[in-house]
Amino acid sequence: MSEGVSRYRWRFVVAAALAAGLAGTYQFAWPVLRDPIVSESGASSVTIGTVFTVLVVTQTLAAFPSGWGRDRLGPRVPMLIATLFVVVGYAGVAIVPEVPELYLWFAVGGAGVGIAYNVAINTPAEWFRTRRGLTTGVVSMSFSLMSFALIPALRWGIRADYAATMLMLAAAAGVASLLAAFVLRDPAPGDGAGETAANGGTRPVGTDAPADPEAAVAWRAMIRTREFWLLYAAFVAVNGVGLMVLEKVVTYGSQLGFTGAQATAAAAVVALGQGLGVLVGGATSDKLGPKRTIAGSLFLAGIAVGGIVAAGRFGFGWAFVVFAGLVMFFRSPAFGILPGVVNERYGQTYASENYGVMLTAKLWGGVFGGIATSLLVVSVGWSAAFLVGAALALVVGAIALVAFHREAA
């Protein structure tokens, strides 16, 4: 591959990362948006938790049809649809921030996030056949790290002028997605995507064996494999625990009497931990294997959730902040690892729609992390609800570790 082509294709990674990062504010800036939205709308704790669940559910449900369309039409059409949805969602929250309209705005915005993320994380991989882990890792990191960079300004801005701040988010997310729609494209024959292995094939990330260029396993065949269901169960727990912390950690800290600075720091380290965990988890998976890395990191996330509860019980505010970041650090490797696993195991032909099916695990995680844990908070209290999340991560992580170890043996 020529140096010019190599440099040229990096523009696809940059465009995809910007689109994913601004769309990701719907999810990773939520900790600082949640309470101001409650104040503007008068929503109860259970209602706002349900709104968050709607966001995650529509984000998840949009992933498969957008992946199907991306595989057949290319990235431009679905990304244009994503542009419309992310703008309408934030603009609606700015102009009419009342219940029941909030359900509509976050449903539309969530669908836009799901489309933008799926297109963004799968398209650059078409250009980097031998560096898929790197490209998906960059996009996945941007999905959360953009929010980390913006959270201090958002916290200040939304308190100073709620509507103007939400409209600025709408504009920024729209511009980034629109730019990606006109920049992203799939490689044509002769574009030189992917480096050629010695045997004439392309070599996927994380394996010494060449990829089979003819592999084309569609989603119906994929879901009949035992490997898929093991990964899916772990991904449900990864999402459930992570989304519980993401949606509730700042409010939990406020209930415990921690300072505003600690609450802002908790929101920021949640996004930072998510981004760094993708990077470190990807490197770790090269040594331990991708599936065992996912299972082991999930188990450690459960321990970190227990640390949040312990820090809250003893009034250690900054330890509370650190453990919140650690939960997200340990739950995030799956997001950088799974796209590559799906590509390598089931082939590139249906990669976007297959990963869209895998992402439906986020739907069940969103139900748990949003409405289910909100109901638990009301019925048994904050600490007990978080301990239920810790137990979920520990149990599923342990089962997955044993299963993947036996599979490797």
Side-chain angles (χ1 to χ4, degrees), residues 111-187:
V113 175
I115 298 169
Y117 180 78
N118 199 341
V119 174
I121 203 165
N122 282 292
T123 301
E126 295 276 354
W127 290 86
F128 290 82
R129 298 295 178 87
T130 61
R131 298 180 185 177
R132 285 180 182 145
L134 174 63
T135 57
T136 57
V138 169
V139 176
S140 187
M141 281 191 295
S142 178
F143 191 56
S144 60
L145 287 184
M146 186 74 72
S147 295
F148 169 73
L150 293 176
I151 276 172
L154 287 176
R155 186 174 178 85
W156 174 84
I158 205 165
R159 288 183 171 182
D161 193 326
Y162 170 89
T165 301
M166 300 304 293
L167 288 172
M168 287 178 63
L169 276 174
V175 168
S177 296
L178 187 63
L179 174 67
F182 286 99
V183 171
L184 296 178
R185 67 176 179 86
D186 289 337

Coordinates of all heavy atoms in Angstrom, one line a residue, residues 111-187:
A111 N -32.0 6.6 18.8 CA -31.9 5.9 17.5 C -30.8 6.5 16.6 O -30.0 5.8 16.0 CB -33.2 6.0 16.7
G112 N -30.6 7.9 16.7 CA -29.5 8.5 16.0 C -28.2 8.1 16.5 O -27.2 7.8 15.7
V113 N -28.1 7.9 17.8 CA -26.8 7.4 18.4 C -26.5 6.0 17.9 O -25.3 5.7 17.6 CB -26.9 7.5 20.0 CG1 -25.6 6.9 20.6 CG2 -27.1 8.9 20.4
G114 N -27.5 5.2 17.9 CA -27.2 3.8 17.5 C -26.8 3.7 16.1 O -25.9 2.9 15.7
I115 N -27.4 4.5 15.2 CA -27.0 4.5 13.8 C -25.6 5.0 13.6 O -24.8 4.4 12.9 CB -28.0 5.3 12.9 CG1 -29.4 4.7 13.0 CG2 -27.5 5.4 11.5 CD1 -30.5 5.5 12.5
A116 N -25.3 6.2 14.2 CA -24.0 6.8 14.1 C -22.9 5.9 14.6 O -21.9 5.8 14.0 CB -24.0 8.2 14.8
Y117 N -23.1 5.3 15.7 CA -22.1 4.5 16.3 C -21.8 3.2 15.5 O -20.6 2.9 15.2 CB -22.5 4.0 17.7 CG -21.5 3.2 18.4 CD1 -20.3 3.7 19.0 CD2 -21.6 1.8 18.5 CE1 -19.4 2.9 19.6 CE2 -20.7 1.0 19.1 CZ -19.6 1.6 19.7 OH -18.6 0.8 20.3
N118 N -22.9 2.6 15.0 CA -22.7 1.4 14.2 C -21.9 1.7 12.9 O -21.0 1.0 12.5 CB -24.0 0.7 13.9 CG -23.9 -0.8 13.5 OD1 -22.8 -1.2 13.1 ND2 -24.9 -1.5 13.6
V119 N -22.3 2.7 12.2 CA -21.6 3.1 11.0 C -20.2 3.5 11.3 O -19.3 3.2 10.6 CB -22.4 4.2 10.3 CG1 -21.6 4.7 9.1 CG2 -23.8 3.8 9.9
A120 N -20.0 4.3 12.4 CA -18.7 4.9 12.7 C -17.7 3.8 13.0 O -16.5 3.8 12.7 CB -18.8 5.9 13.8
I121 N -18.2 2.8 13.8 CA -17.2 1.8 14.3 C -16.9 0.7 13.2 O -15.9 0.1 13.3 CB -17.7 1.1 15.6 CG1 -16.5 0.6 16.4 CG2 -18.7 0.1 15.3 CD1 -16.8 0.3 17.8
N122 N -17.8 0.5 12.3 CA -17.6 -0.5 11.3 C -17.0 0.0 10.0 O -16.2 -0.8 9.3 CB -18.9 -1.2 10.9 CG -19.3 -2.2 12.0 OD1 -18.7 -3.2 12.2 ND2 -20.4 -1.9 12.7
T123 N -17.2 1.2 9.6 CA -16.7 1.7 8.3 C -15.1 1.8 8.3 O -14.5 1.3 7.3 CB -17.3 3.0 7.9 OG1 -18.7 2.9 7.9 CG2 -16.8 3.5 6.6
P124 N -14.5 2.4 9.3 CA -13.0 2.4 9.2 C -12.3 1.1 9.1 O -11.3 0.9 8.5 CB -12.6 3.2 10.5 CG -13.8 4.0 10.8 CD -15.0 3.2 10.4
A125 N -13.0 0.1 9.7 CA -12.4 -1.3 9.7 C -12.3 -1.8 8.3 O -11.5 -2.7 8.0 CB -13.3 -2.2 10.6
E126 N -13.2 -1.3 7.4 CA -13.1 -1.7 6.0 C -11.8 -1.3 5.4 O -11.3 -1.9 4.4 CB -14.2 -1.1 5.2 CG -15.6 -1.6 5.6 CD -16.0 -2.9 4.9 OE1 -15.2 -3.4 4.1 OE2 -17.1 -3.4 5.3
W127 N -11.2 -0.2 5.9 CA -9.9 0.3 5.3 C -8.7 -0.2 6.0 O -7.6 0.0 5.5 CB -10.0 1.8 5.4 CG -10.9 2.5 4.5 CD1 -12.3 2.7 4.7 CD2 -10.7 2.9 3.2 NE1 -12.9 3.3 3.6 CE2 -11.9 3.4 2.7 CE3 -9.6 3.0 2.4 CZ2 -12.0 4.0 1.4 CZ3 -9.7 3.5 1.1 CH2 -10.9 4.0 0.6
F128 N -8.9 -0.8 7.2 CA -7.7 -1.3 8.0 C -7.9 -2.8 8.3 O -8.2 -3.1 9.5 CB -7.6 -0.5 9.3 CG -7.2 0.9 9.1 CD1 -8.1 1.9 8.7 CD2 -5.8 1.3 9.2 CE1 -7.7 3.2 8.6 CE2 -5.4 2.6 9.1 CZ -6.4 3.6 8.7
R129 N -7.8 -3.6 7.3 CA -8.1 -5.1 7.6 C -7.1 -5.7 8.6 O -7.4 -6.6 9.3 CB -8.0 -5.8 6.2 CG -9.0 -5.4 5.2 CD -10.5 -5.7 5.7 NE -11.5 -5.2 4.7 CZ -11.9 -5.9 3.7 NH1 -11.4 -7.1 3.5 NH2 -12.8 -5.4 2.9
T130 N -5.9 -5.1 8.6 CA -4.9 -5.7 9.6 C -4.8 -4.9 10.9 O -4.0 -5.2 11.7 CB -3.5 -5.7 8.9 OG1 -3.1 -4.4 8.6 CG2 -3.5 -6.6 7.7
R131 N -5.6 -3.8 11.0 CA -5.6 -3.0 12.2 C -7.0 -2.7 12.7 O -7.3 -1.6 13.1 CB -4.8 -1.6 11.9 CG -3.4 -1.8 11.5 CD -2.7 -0.4 11.2 NE -1.4 -0.6 10.7 CZ -0.6 0.4 10.4 NH1 -1.1 1.7 10.4 NH2 0.6 0.2 9.9
R132 N -7.8 -3.6 12.6 CA -9.2 -3.4 13.0 C -9.3 -3.1 14.5 O -10.1 -2.3 14.9 CB -10.1 -4.6 12.7 CG -10.3 -4.8 11.2 CD -11.2 -6.0 10.9 NE -11.4 -6.1 9.5 CZ -11.5 -7.3 8.9 NH1 -11.3 -8.4 9.5 NH2 -11.7 -7.3 7.6
G133 N -8.5 -3.7 15.3 CA -8.5 -3.4 16.7 C -8.2 -2.0 17.0 O -8.8 -1.4 17.9
L134 N -7.2 -1.5 16.3 CA -6.8 -0.1 16.5 C -7.9 0.9 16.1 O -8.3 1.8 16.8 CB -5.5 0.2 15.7 CG -5.1 1.7 15.6 CD1 -4.7 2.1 17.0 CD2 -3.9 1.8 14.7
T135 N -8.5 0.7 14.9 CA -9.5 1.6 14.4 C -10.8 1.5 15.2 O -11.3 2.6 15.6 CB -9.8 1.3 12.9 OG1 -10.3 0.0 12.8 CG2 -8.6 1.6 12.0
T136 N -11.3 0.3 15.6 CA -12.4 0.3 16.4 C -12.2 0.8 17.8 O -13.0 1.4 18.4 CB -13.0 -1.2 16.5 OG1 -12.0 -2.0 17.0 CG2 -13.4 -1.7 15.2
G137 N -10.9 0.6 18.3 CA -10.6 1.2 19.6 C -10.6 2.7 19.6 O -11.1 3.3 20.6
V138 N -10.1 3.3 18.5 CA -10.1 4.8 18.5 C -11.5 5.3 18.5 O -11.8 6.3 19.2 CB -9.3 5.2 17.2 CG1 -9.6 6.7 17.0 CG2 -7.8 5.0 17.3
V139 N -12.4 4.7 17.7 CA -13.8 5.2 17.6 C -14.5 4.9 18.9 O -15.2 5.8 19.4 CB -14.5 4.5 16.4 CG1 -16.0 4.9 16.4 CG2 -13.8 4.9 15.1
S140 N -14.3 3.8 19.5 CA -14.9 3.4 20.7 C -14.5 4.4 21.9 O -15.3 4.8 22.7 CB -14.7 2.0 21.1 OG -15.4 1.6 22.2
M141 N -13.2 4.7 21.9 CA -12.7 5.6 22.9 C -13.3 7.0 22.7 O -13.7 7.6 23.7 CB -11.2 5.7 22.8 CG -10.4 4.6 23.5 SD -8.6 4.9 23.6 CE -8.2 5.0 21.9
S142 N -13.4 7.4 21.5 CA -14.0 8.7 21.2 C -15.4 8.8 21.7 O -15.9 9.9 22.1 CB -13.9 9.1 19.7 OG -14.5 10.3 19.4
F143 N -16.1 7.7 21.6 CA -17.5 7.6 22.0 C -17.7 8.1 23.4 O -18.8 8.7 23.8 CB -18.0 6.2 21.8 CG -19.5 6.0 22.0 CD1 -20.4 6.7 21.1 CD2 -20.1 5.1 22.9 CE1 -21.8 6.6 21.2 CE2 -21.4 5.0 23.0 CZ -22.3 5.7 22.2
S144 N -16.8 7.9 24.3 CA -16.9 8.3 25.7 C -15.9 9.5 26.0 O -16.3 10.4 26.8 CB -16.6 7.2 26.7 OG -15.3 6.7 26.4
L145 N -14.7 9.5 25.4 CA -13.8 10.6 25.8 C -14.2 11.9 25.4 O -13.8 12.9 26.0 CB -12.4 10.2 25.2 CG -11.7 9.1 25.9 CD1 -10.3 8.9 25.4 CD2 -11.5 9.3 27.4
M146 N -15.0 12.0 24.3 CA -15.5 13.4 23.9 C -16.3 14.0 25.0 O -16.2 15.2 25.3 CB -16.3 13.2 22.6 CG -16.8 14.6 22.1 SD -15.4 15.5 21.2 CE -15.2 14.5 19.8
S147 N -17.1 13.1 25.7 CA -17.9 13.6 26.8 C -17.0 14.0 28.0 O -17.3 15.0 28.7 CB -18.9 12.5 27.3 OG -19.9 12.3 26.2
F148 N -16.0 13.2 28.2 CA -15.0 13.6 29.3 C -14.5 15.0 29.1 O -14.4 15.8 30.0 CB -13.9 12.6 29.3 CG -12.7 13.0 30.2 CD1 -12.9 13.0 31.6 CD2 -11.5 13.4 29.7 CE1 -11.8 13.4 32.4 CE2 -10.5 13.8 30.5 CZ -10.6 13.8 31.8
A149 N -14.1 15.3 27.8 CA -13.6 16.7 27.6 C -14.7 17.8 27.7 O -14.3 18.9 28.1 CB -13.0 16.7 26.1
L150 N -15.9 17.4 27.4 CA -17.0 18.4 27.4 C -17.7 18.6 28.8 O -18.4 19.6 29.0 CB -18.0 18.1 26.3 CG -17.5 18.2 24.9 CD1 -18.6 17.7 24.0 CD2 -17.1 19.6 24.5
I151 N -17.6 17.6 29.7 CA -18.4 17.6 30.9 C -18.3 18.9 31.7 O -19.3 19.5 32.2 CB -18.2 16.3 31.7 CG1 -19.1 15.2 31.1 CG2 -18.5 16.5 33.2 CD1 -18.9 13.9 31.7
P152 N -17.1 19.4 32.0 CA -17.0 20.6 32.8 C -17.7 21.8 32.2 O -18.4 22.5 32.9 CB -15.5 20.8 32.9 CG -14.8 19.5 32.7 CD -15.7 18.8 31.7
A153 N -17.5 21.9 30.9 CA -18.2 23.1 30.2 C -19.7 22.8 30.2 O -20.5 23.8 30.4 CB -17.7 23.2 28.8
L154 N -20.1 21.6 30.0 CA -21.6 21.3 29.9 C -22.2 21.6 31.3 O -23.3 22.1 31.4 CB -21.8 19.9 29.5 CG -21.6 19.5 28.0 CD1 -21.8 18.0 27.8 CD2 -22.5 20.3 27.2
R155 N -21.5 21.2 32.4 CA -22.1 21.4 33.7 C -22.3 22.9 34.0 O -23.3 23.3 34.6 CB -21.2 20.7 34.8 CG -21.8 20.8 36.2 CD -20.9 20.0 37.2 NE -21.4 20.1 38.5 CZ -22.4 19.3 39.0 NH1 -22.9 18.4 38.3 NH2 -22.8 19.4 40.2
W156 N -21.3 23.7 33.6 CA -21.4 25.1 33.8 C -22.5 25.7 32.9 O -23.3 26.5 33.3 CB -20.1 25.8 33.5 CG -20.1 27.3 33.5 CD1 -20.1 28.1 34.6 CD2 -20.3 28.2 32.4 NE1 -20.2 29.4 34.3 CE2 -20.4 29.5 32.9 CE3 -20.5 27.9 31.1 CZ2 -20.5 30.6 32.1 CZ3 -20.7 29.0 30.2 CH2 -20.7 30.3 30.8
G157 N -22.5 25.3 31.6 CA -23.4 25.9 30.6 C -24.8 25.5 30.9 O -25.7 26.4 30.7
I158 N -25.1 24.3 31.3 CA -26.5 23.9 31.4 C -27.1 24.6 32.6 O -28.3 24.8 32.7 CB -26.6 22.4 31.5 CG1 -28.0 21.9 31.0 CG2 -26.3 21.9 32.9 CD1 -28.1 20.5 30.7
R159 N -26.3 25.0 33.6 CA -26.8 25.7 34.8 C -27.0 27.2 34.4 O -27.9 27.8 34.9 CB -25.8 25.6 35.9 CG -25.8 24.2 36.6 CD -24.9 24.1 37.8 NE -25.1 22.9 38.5 CZ -24.4 22.5 39.6 NH1 -23.6 23.4 40.1 NH2 -24.6 21.4 40.2
A160 N -26.2 27.7 33.5 CA -26.3 29.1 33.1 C -27.4 29.3 32.1 O -28.2 30.3 32.3 CB -25.0 29.6 32.5
D161 N -27.6 28.4 31.2 CA -28.6 28.6 30.1 C -28.9 27.2 29.6 O -28.3 26.7 28.7 CB -28.2 29.5 29.0 CG -29.4 29.9 28.1 OD1 -30.3 29.1 27.9 OD2 -29.3 31.1 27.6
Y162 N -29.9 26.5 30.2 CA -30.3 25.2 29.8 C -30.6 25.0 28.3 O -30.0 24.2 27.6 CB -31.5 24.7 30.6 CG -32.1 23.4 30.2 CD1 -31.6 22.2 30.7 CD2 -33.1 23.4 29.3 CE1 -32.2 21.0 30.3 CE2 -33.7 22.1 28.9 CZ -33.2 21.0 29.4 OH -33.7 19.8 29.0
A163 N -31.5 25.8 27.8 CA -31.9 25.6 26.4 C -30.8 25.9 25.4 O -30.6 25.1 24.5 CB -33.1 26.6 26.1
A164 N -30.0 26.9 25.6 CA -28.9 27.3 24.7 C -27.8 26.1 24.7 O -27.3 25.8 23.7 CB -28.2 28.6 25.1
T165 N -27.6 25.6 25.9 CA -26.6 24.5 25.9 C -27.0 23.3 25.2 O -26.3 22.6 24.4 CB -26.3 24.1 27.4 OG1 -25.8 25.3 28.1 CG2 -25.2 23.0 27.5
M166 N -28.3 22.9 25.4 CA -28.8 21.7 24.6 C -28.9 22.0 23.1 O -28.6 21.0 22.3 CB -30.2 21.4 25.2 CG -30.3 21.1 26.6 SD -29.2 19.7 27.2 CE -30.0 18.3 26.3
L167 N -29.2 23.2 22.7 CA -29.2 23.5 21.3 C -27.8 23.5 20.7 O -27.6 23.0 19.6 CB -29.8 24.9 21.0 CG -31.3 24.9 21.2 CD1 -31.8 26.4 21.1 CD2 -32.0 24.0 20.2
M168 N -26.8 23.9 21.5 CA -25.4 23.8 21.1 C -25.0 22.3 20.9 O -24.2 22.0 19.9 CB -24.5 24.5 22.0 CG -24.6 26.0 22.0 SD -23.5 26.8 23.2 CE -21.9 26.3 22.7
L169 N -25.4 21.5 21.8 CA -25.1 20.0 21.6 C -25.8 19.5 20.4 O -25.2 18.7 19.6 CB -25.7 19.3 22.9 CG -24.7 19.2 24.1 CD1 -25.5 18.5 25.2 CD2 -23.5 18.4 23.8
A170 N -27.0 19.9 20.1 CA -27.7 19.5 18.9 C -26.9 19.9 17.6 O -26.7 19.1 16.7 CB -29.1 20.1 18.8
A171 N -26.4 21.1 17.6 CA -25.7 21.6 16.5 C -24.3 20.9 16.3 O -24.0 20.5 15.2 CB -25.4 23.1 16.6
A172 N -23.6 20.7 17.4 CA -22.3 20.0 17.3 C -22.5 18.6 16.9 O -21.7 18.1 16.0 CB -21.6 20.1 18.7
A173 N -23.4 17.8 17.4 CA -23.6 16.5 17.0 C -24.1 16.4 15.6 O -23.6 15.5 14.8 CB -24.7 15.8 17.9
G174 N -24.9 17.3 15.1 CA -25.4 17.3 13.8 C -24.3 17.6 12.8 O -24.2 16.9 11.7
V175 N -23.4 18.6 13.1 CA -22.3 18.9 12.2 C -21.3 17.7 12.0 O -20.9 17.4 10.9 CB -21.6 20.2 12.7 CG1 -20.3 20.4 11.9 CG2 -22.5 21.4 12.5
A176 N -21.0 17.1 13.2 CA -20.1 16.0 13.1 C -20.6 14.8 12.3 O -19.9 14.2 11.5 CB -19.8 15.5 14.6
S177 N -21.9 14.5 12.5 CA -22.5 13.4 11.8 C -22.6 13.7 10.3 O -22.4 12.9 9.4 CB -23.9 13.0 12.3 OG -23.8 12.6 13.7
L178 N -23.0 15.0 10.0 CA -23.1 15.4 8.6 C -21.7 15.3 7.9 O -21.6 14.9 6.7 CB -23.7 16.8 8.5 CG -24.0 17.3 7.1 CD1 -25.1 16.5 6.5 CD2 -24.4 18.8 7.2
L179 N -20.7 15.8 8.6 CA -19.3 15.7 8.0 C -19.0 14.2 7.7 O -18.5 13.9 6.6 CB -18.3 16.3 9.0 CG -16.9 16.1 8.6 CD1 -16.6 17.0 7.4 CD2 -16.0 16.6 9.8
A180 N -19.3 13.3 8.7 CA -19.0 11.9 8.5 C -19.8 11.3 7.3 O -19.3 10.5 6.5 CB -19.3 11.1 9.8
A181 N -21.0 11.8 7.1 CA -21.8 11.3 6.0 C -21.2 11.5 4.7 O -21.3 10.7 3.8 CB -23.2 11.9 6.1
F182 N -20.5 12.7 4.5 CA -19.9 13.0 3.2 C -18.5 12.6 3.1 O -17.9 12.6 2.0 CB -20.1 14.5 3.0 CG -21.5 14.9 2.7 CD1 -22.3 15.5 3.6 CD2 -22.0 14.8 1.4 CE1 -23.6 15.8 3.3 CE2 -23.3 15.1 1.1 CZ -24.1 15.6 2.0
V183 N -17.8 12.2 4.2 CA -16.4 11.8 4.2 C -16.3 10.3 4.1 O -15.6 9.7 3.3 CB -15.7 12.3 5.4 CG1 -14.3 11.6 5.5 CG2 -15.5 13.8 5.4
L184 N -17.1 9.6 4.9 CA -17.0 8.1 4.9 C -17.5 7.4 3.7 O -18.5 7.8 3.1 CB -17.8 7.6 6.1 CG -17.4 8.0 7.5 CD1 -18.3 7.4 8.6 CD2 -15.9 7.5 7.8
R185 N -16.8 6.4 3.2 CA -17.2 5.6 2.1 C -16.4 4.3 2.3 O -15.4 4.2 3.0 CB -16.9 6.2 0.8 CG -15.4 6.4 0.5 CD -15.2 7.0 -0.9 NE -13.8 7.2 -1.3 CZ -13.0 6.2 -1.8 NH1 -13.4 5.0 -1.9 NH2 -11.7 6.5 -2.0
D186 N -16.9 3.2 1.6 CA -16.2 2.0 1.6 C -15.2 1.9 0.5 O -15.3 2.6 -0.5 CB -17.2 0.8 1.3 CG -18.2 0.6 2.5 OD1 -17.8 1.0 3.7 OD2 -19.3 0.1 2.3
P187 N -14.1 1.2 0.7 CA -13.1 1.1 -0.3 C -13.5 0.4 -1.6 O -14.3 -0.6 -1.5 CB -11.9 0.3 0.4 CG -12.6 -0.5 1.4 CD -13.8 0.4 1.9

